[in-house]
Amino acid sequence: MSQTPPTSVPKPLPELSDAIRMFEAARGQIEFSRQYLLELLNATPMDRWFEIPPGNVSHVAWQVGHLAVSQYGLLMFRMRGRHPDDLELIPGRFRKTYARGSQPSAATDNQPSAQVLLDKLNRVLELALAELDSLDPAELLVEIDMPYAVYPCKLGAVMFCPIHEGLHAGQIGMLRRGLGLESVR
């Protein structure tokens, strides 16, 4: 008996009142996942962020840069489009270095320092939360182009953000163990 592959039919959009509750929950999860991520990063010496542990294909620095780029995309670009200041926040070269599909490099030349990456990650979150706080709730159901997760609207991008950060926090946890560092929790 052969199985047919699942189709990717988008879920119907929720009612606005449900979307608002889902948004509020996701916003809280964004803050929680960031606290956990920072706990991992604070327990990881910055001078080891560019080490790729044996048998791994990434390092902590790439994970942090990738999260900054992704969170910008999910919570800023998807919410309000590109603003002129965005090129200073996430320059094209930075985006290409840490975007999905990019390859981490252990060479530190021509890469931002661990502190610069951490500062960028924190700045993106600060600006992204301000964007979310000023978002008209009716905007949550505005459709967005692919790629999207959960729902094909702005709400889906917000809901995916803490899941994505948690996934990469798990990868950072594994990288830390590969570096011989103790588990945080």
Side-chain angles (χ1 to χ4, degrees), residues 11-158:
K11 292 179 177 184
L13 297 180
E15 296 295 321
L16 182 57
S17 59
D18 292 332
I20 292 169
R21 281 193 299 278
M22 296 162 88
F23 170 81
E24 290 169 352
R27 192 183 182 299
Q29 290 170 348
I30 289 167
E31 291 176 354
F32 174 81
S33 62
R34 178 53 57 89
Q35 289 309 309
Y36 179 62
L37 176 68
L38 291 175
E39 191 177 335
L40 288 168
L41 295 177
N42 289 335
T44 307
M46 286 186 163
D47 63 350
R48 303 206 58 201
W49 278 28
F50 290 90
E51 288 181 44
I52 299 176
N56 286 275
V57 296
S58 187
H59 51 60
V60 173
W62 185 89
Q63 299 289 324
V64 172
H66 174 72
L67 285 168
V69 168
S70 299
Q71 194 164 67
Y72 161 78
L74 290 167
L75 301 183
M76 295 174 72
F77 179 74
R78 292 278 187 179
M79 296 303 119
R80 46 92 164 138
R82 193 172 319 279
H83 283 186
D85 292 348
D86 291 353
L87 286 176
E88 187 175 318
L89 178 66
I90 304 288
R93 181 167 184 237
F94 187 90
R95 189 176 66 253
K96 288 176 186 169
T97 301
Y98 300 106
R100 178 181 55 206
S102 63
Q103 297 296 314
S105 170
T108 57
D109 51 320
N110 297 321
Q111 288 197 62
S113 69
Q115 187 62 57
V116 167
L117 289 167
L118 181 60
D119 292 346
K120 176 110 29 209
L121 180 73
N122 290 328
R123 181 69 177 145
V124 167
L125 179 65
E126 176 187 343
L127 294 171
L129 291 178
E131 288 292 336
L132 293 181
D133 290 345
S134 68
L135 188 67
D136 177 352
E139 287 284 308
L140 291 170
L141 299 176
V142 170
E143 291 189 24
I144 57 175
D145 295 328
M146 286 290 284
Y148 57 78
V150 189
Y151 294 108
C153 62
K154 292 179 180 186
L155 173 63
V158 175

